Amino acid sequence: MPGVTLALVDGKWAIDPTEDGGARLVALGRDGLPEGAVVHEGELAAAVRGRPEVTRWVWRSTADIYPRLLAAGVRVERCYDIEDAELLLLGHEGRLGEPRSAAAAWARLHRLPVPPDPPARAAEPGRQSPLFEPPSGTGLPLEALVEVYADQQKRHDAALHPGRMRLLTASESAGMLVAAEMNRAGLPWRADVHREMLHGLLGERYAGGGEPRRLAELADEVSAAFGRRVRPDLPADVIKAFAEAGIRITSTRRWALEEIDHPAVAPLVEYKKLYRIWTAHGWSWLQDWVRDGRFRPEYTPGGSVSGRWTTNGGGALQIPKVIRQAVVADEGWRLVVADADQMEPRVLAAISRDPGLMEVAGHDGDLYTSLSDRAFSGDREHAKLALLGAIYGQTSGDGLKNLAALRRRFPKAVAYVDDAAKAGEEGRLVRTWLGRTSPPAAGAGEDGEAGLPQEGELPSSDGEFTPGYASSNARARGRFTRNFVVQGSAADWALLLLAALRASLASAGMRAELVFFQHDEVIVHCPLEEAADVVTAIRSAGELAGRIAFGDTPVRFPFTTAVVERYSEAK
């Protein structure tokens, strides 16, 4: 896939907003440099709307420009996000953590002092859409911005797999468009249903913002069980109370508490569950985040090292099942909720090219059942534990025995994640199939290049990890990179799924809107009469994404879909 270049024939232009609300723009040649004179337009949206022949817009930041275009009714088919590409390219070069702004990239290009990136902006409750602020300039002339873009094209050419890297930056830019459009569309949310649910779970609210009635009652039950006043919202207080009762615990997580035989456990577990709802999705959250029947979180594509999305405030990716009752389709509309089936094992089959596992993943049926029939005497649970153990590094005890059976039948798949783990332990860079790169371990080499995999070595994985991870934690890093090659490649596939689905819905002229996405789940809000076509579009997009990402393999990427009025009905 070619990078975003522009000649009038190719239909690619660079654009940058100006402080007066207008824009400067220029056509680009195949080398990424200007072809023609810079044009100044008095209004940003008009500049884009008036050039329907443009097939891809090159700009500094999608989050800075696209929301304003959407607000003016202008939809962009494709873009190239320079700062997003810079982040990916820095990672690929073993330099993740260096400033990724366009200004920083230009300074590096000219061997000038590199300015730090501005601090991340925290979400501000009550201000529903920070993305819709008027765009600011880049701090660079348009010519300098284009210079950075042209240099990025050369850096793509120098990548381990240039075609895959170009596909990664293109799909990540597409994800930025989807994120802005989902923010504008919003997830349908019934505030009245939410309030009714909170009242049923938590009871009445007390004046002054104190705990609601049900939490106060549970706190009293916990204290009564211990025979003294205990604050169940303070882990240290709970641990101390158990110690006084002769019970030593180091964690107040539910799994740890449920192993204890004590009358405080039941009310404490219930308190923790309800306290989480009250603080994360209670009345204050509802007031801050839901406007005009919509929840509009600010999505951050590639917000985690693995490429998984995050959100800036609002907790959109952690909506409790009970709260999903408030996600209700508009009258006459439906929610099409689609979950990718066993996505990570299928991705492992595709990236490892293991013939046996590809055959297992070449059907729409339950992958673990098919796996168990081949290698685990029909024991589905053992088959599932073995495969997930290989991906997540759970290789002790029974997991080790299961892994041995898996290795005998699917040697290339197990070797793939084993090699990724070894590379991580040795401090080498590890990549996803398309080229997203895990951070190098501390001490991997002064120039950051010592860990670059050579041709034929493995790509990357997920879990959360930060640059500078101590080399003494080599085994932990190996578990991370083992997982990173699979989860990160799954994130690559998901970006292409979103891009394909977005294009399919638009080309069909549907009113359907993408309104939610997390890891392996997507929700489309659509008129009832479009629901069947949306289901088909999702399944087709999943298969197309698999072919584009991984090439011609027998691996299938099916979905379990549900057409529902409430999000909670899909679970």
Side-chain angles (χ1 to χ4, degrees), residues 4 56-59 62 76-81 170 173-174 177:
V4 179
R56 195 184 305 265
W57 290 97
V58 177
W59 52 43
T62 304
V76 168
E77 184 176 353
R78 295 185 181 90
C79 77
Y80 178 100
D81 189 307
S173 290
L177 295 176

Side-chain angles (χ1 to χ4, degrees), residues 362-447:
H363 307 280
D364 289 353
D366 180 65
L367 181 145
Y368 298 122
T369 296
S370 180
L371 183 68
S372 68
D373 291 342
R374 287 173 174 269
F376 293 90
S377 303
D379 191 327
R380 182 185 183 278
E381 191 60 28
H382 273 79
K384 181 177 180 180
L385 289 174
L387 193 50
L388 294 182
I391 294 172
Y392 288 94
Q394 298 167 342
T395 55
S396 61
D398 288 342
L400 188 60
K401 182 176 65 176
N402 292 335
L403 183 61
L406 195 70
R407 184 177 280 111
R408 286 194 298 270
R409 295 301 300 266
F410 310 105
K412 291 187 70 174
V414 177
Y416 194 93
V417 289
D418 282 349
D419 289 348
K422 182 179 179 182
E425 290 175 3
E426 294 174 353
R428 291 184 281 134
L429 298 182
V430 182
R431 307 186 193 284
T432 65
W433 183 256
L434 293 187
R436 192 186 306 273
T437 308
S438 70
E446 291 183 3
D447 60 3

Side-chain angles (χ1 to χ4, degrees), residues 14 28 123 127 194 208 233 239 247 263 277 297 300 309 349 365 368 490 527 569:
L28 303 176
R127 189 177 67 177
H194 192 147
D233 58 324
I239 291 172
I247 300 172
I277 291 173
T300 306
W309 286 29
Y368 298 122
E569 295 170 0

Side-chain angles (χ1 to χ4, degrees), residues 6 43 46 131 196 205 316 327 329 381 401 439 450:
L6 194 113
E43 206 276 317
L131 284 173
E196 183 180 348
R205 302 171 67 186
V327 181
E381 191 60 28
K401 182 176 65 176

Side-chain angles (χ1 to χ4, degrees), residues 128 182-191 194 280-281 285-286 288-299 311-319 323 326-327 515-516:
Q128 193 50 70
M182 289 202 307
N183 176 275
R184 181 162 182 81
L187 186 64
W189 202 283
R190 285 277 299 275
H194 192 147
H281 290 92
W285 180 92
L286 182 61
D288 290 341
W289 288 100
V290 176
R291 292 285 186 281
D292 303 321
R294 293 292 186 271
F295 169 39
R296 294 186 173 88
E298 182 181 341
Y299 295 94
T311 57
N312 187 13
L317 305 185
Q318 296 178 327
I319 303 174
I323 299 297
V327 181
V515 294
F516 185 75

Side-chain angles (χ1 to χ4, degrees), residues 323-341:
I323 299 297
R324 293 175 187 178
Q325 298 176 52
V327 181
V328 184
D330 293 344
E331 186 175 354
W333 288 51
R334 292 294 184 271
L335 300 171
V336 180
V337 183
D339 279 296
D341 296 333

Side-chain angles (χ1 to χ4, degrees), residues 65-80:
I65 296 177
Y66 195 40
R68 187 179 178 190
L69 294 175
L70 288 173
V74 178
R75 181 184 182 276
V76 168
E77 184 176 353
R78 295 185 181 90
C79 77
Y80 178 100

